[in-house]
């Protein structure tokens, strides 16, 4: 038995009442939280590791409910281009030229950024190599719900992705059987659907049936761009969410990502079926849309936060994404009272856990749940003085204020040093691999300013 006692912290439990313990402790035993608040000395073993937090914050680890690990090494591939150019001329060539080893290294790079921004659990919507992603997450020491990117139709797909429904479904079942609940159950496999552009009605229905059969979720980009709604209107005579409802796939195990273009009636459908939402403000703004997040929150829909991929929003940083979530809805609603900081902390912690069907596993600092947590040190000119302690975590914190990250009762970062991954080696290899893929895929980014190469 191993124990760690964190004492004298400002502990935001994010439990049902959002109880805070000022000067509180957390006792961790093996992978779980044993006690929180005032911890009875009798519970603490003589060889427990004792950490005095001197008033620093402790929170549940953040949950990033949408992050493309395979896109990490494509960062910069789509800045300032339109959506169709981004997708067909940049992303498809890039992703279809990835190897399994590229996917593994890209996943490690993603996990570095996630751990350093306090993320202990994430959901990946679908890369080409679940095996590479699973290896990466297993080593990184955090949790991932992994899926294959599934497509059985659509214009302009690279040849390697032109596959039948049966091939796509069989591959997912195979990945599920090989990798689900591996690495002490930190690695789990979900079923993926890329977008309604690339998934037939039949594959959407069959995917939902499989997810129900295996007791996991479906991760899908839903109503992401205006062009998507124009497409579904022209092909099906109805917008995306109305169509998904007609197919009977709106349900509590559907994680719908972006959800920018919904009518108010479609928001009600989400509520009725307990569909989970992943709000990705940075990438949503890039494809020009503001999701109706305040309305969804008012209606009690479970809304969580995701960063999307590095080719869409560049920053896989949940702290930045929380801050953006707090800002953008105030702006377009012309109402600075919407989306208060306490709601945003809920979205990033326990709502994220619920969205990933893990609310009985982590997302709150309460006895019996997994010890997934972060320690925040507000010291520094960008966060001090801390007057409004809860709001400061959303409005002033930067990810470099996150001092330590723990997942499954193990430290994966201490004093900003990631312990599970060799940061320098992975970054170097990732950069080399990125260059090689750009070459293979024939992607040439134009010079934005005139460049004169001078070597000395
Ligand atoms: Zn995405």
């Amino acid at each position: 038995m191993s124990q760690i006692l964190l004492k004298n912290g400002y502990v935001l439990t994010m439990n049902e009442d959002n109880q805070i313990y000022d000067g509180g402790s957390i006792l961790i035993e093996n992978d779980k939280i044993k006690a929180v608040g005032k911890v009875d000395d009798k519970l603490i073993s003589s060889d427990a590791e004792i950490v005095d937090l001197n008033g620093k914050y402790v929170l549940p680890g953040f949950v990033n409910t949408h992050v493309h690990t395979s896109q990490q090494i494509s960062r910069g591939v789509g800045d300032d281009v339109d959506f169709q150019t981004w997708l067909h001329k940049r992303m498809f060539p890039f992703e279809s030229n990835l190897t399994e080893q590229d996917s593994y290294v890209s996943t490690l790079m993603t996990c570095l950024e996630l751990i350093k921004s306090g993320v202990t659990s994430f959901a990946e919507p679908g890369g080409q190599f679940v095996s590479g992603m699973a290896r990466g997450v297993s080593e990184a020491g955090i949790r991932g719900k992994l899926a294959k990117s599934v497509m059985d139709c659509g214009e302009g797909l690279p040849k390697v992705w032109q596959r039948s429904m049966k091939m796509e479904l069989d591959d997912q079942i195979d990945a599920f059987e090989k990798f689900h609940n591996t690495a002490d159950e930190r690695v789990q496999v979900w079923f993926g659907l890329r977008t309604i552009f690339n998934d037939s009605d039949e594959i959407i229905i069959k995917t939902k049936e499989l997810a129900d059969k295996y007791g996991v979720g479906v991760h899908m980009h839903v109503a992401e761009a205006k062009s998507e709604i124009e497409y579904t209107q022209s092909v099906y005579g109805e917008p995306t969410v109305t169509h998904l409802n007609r197919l009977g796939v709106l349900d509590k195990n559907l994680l719908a990502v972006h959800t920018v273009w919904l009518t108010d009636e479609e928001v009600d459908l989400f509520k009725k079926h307990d569909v989970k939402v992943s709000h990705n403000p940075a990438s949503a703004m890039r494809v020009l849309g503001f999701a109706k997040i305040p309305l969804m929150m008012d209606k009690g829909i479970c809304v969580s936060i995701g960063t999307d991929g590095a080719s869409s929003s560049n920053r896989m940083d949940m702290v930045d994404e929380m801050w953006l979530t707090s800002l953008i809805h105030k702006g377009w609603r012309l109402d600075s009272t919407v989306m208060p900081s306490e709601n945003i902390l809920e979205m990033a912690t326990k709502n994220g856990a619920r969205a990933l069907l893990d609310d009985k596993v982590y997302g709150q600092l309460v006895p019996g749940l997994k010890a997934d947590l972060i320690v925040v040190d507000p010291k520094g000119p960008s966060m001090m003085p801390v007057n409004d302690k809860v709001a400061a975590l959303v409005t002033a914190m930067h990810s470099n204020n996150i001092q330590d990250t723990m997942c499954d009762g193990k430290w994966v970062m201490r004093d900003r040093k990631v312990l599970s991954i060799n940061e320098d080696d992975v970054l170097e290899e990732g950069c080399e691999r990125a260059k090689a893929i750009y070459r293979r895929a024939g992607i040439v980014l134009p010079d934005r300013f005139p460049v004169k190469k001078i070597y000395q």
Side-chain angles (χ1 to χ4, degrees), residues 66 68 125 221 258 308:
H66 185 70
H68 293 259
H221 298 93
H258 299 308
D308 211 352

Side-chain angles (χ1 to χ4, degrees), residues 291-446:
K292 295 176 176 174
I293 300 301
L295 177 65
M296 292 180 187
M297 299 287 281
D298 282 351
K299 289 192 179 281
I301 293 169
C302 177
V303 183
S304 60
I305 298 177
T307 53
D308 211 352
S311 53
S312 316
S313 64
N314 289 299
R315 300 166 186 233
M316 300 301 95
D317 186 322
M318 276 292 282
V319 179
D320 288 349
E321 218 72 16
M322 288 198 299
W323 178 62
L324 274 179
T325 303
S326 85
L327 285 179
I328 68 166
H329 303 288
K330 292 174 168 62
W332 74 266
R333 292 272 298 251
L334 299 176
D335 180 356
S336 53
T337 66
V338 297
M339 304 303 289
S341 299
E342 50 272 40
N343 282 166
I344 289 167
L345 288 172
E346 289 176 332
M347 292 166 80
T349 54
K350 58 186 169 189
N351 285 16
R354 235 193 109 210
L356 301 193
L357 310 175
D358 274 343
D359 42 331
K360 303 272 190 304
V361 185
Y362 55 81
Q364 303 178 28
L365 301 181
V366 298
L369 293 198
K370 294 279 194 178
D372 289 11
L373 56 83
I374 59 174
V375 175
V376 173
D377 182 358
K379 193 158 181 241
S382 57
M383 198 167 166
M384 289 170 83
V386 179
N387 292 312
D388 185 335
K389 281 195 158 97
V390 171
L393 290 164
V394 175
T395 57
M397 179 169 75
H398 290 64
S399 55
N400 58 15
N401 290 111
I402 295 169
Q403 175 189 288
D404 309 307
T405 305
M406 174 186 283
C407 182
D408 217 30
K410 296 188 185 72
W411 295 113
V412 288
M413 180 174 78
R414 297 230 49 192
D415 294 324
R416 300 290 299 153
K417 182 174 168 45
V418 175
L419 305 176
S420 50
I421 301 170
N422 184 319
E423 183 168 343
D424 290 344
D425 289 355
V426 167
L427 293 181
E428 192 181 316
E429 186 175 355
C431 293
E432 287 305 315
R433 286 181 174 275
K435 271 192 231 155
I437 299 163
Y438 270 71
R439 270 199 303 274
R440 280 207 298 280
I443 300 168
V444 180
L445 302 184

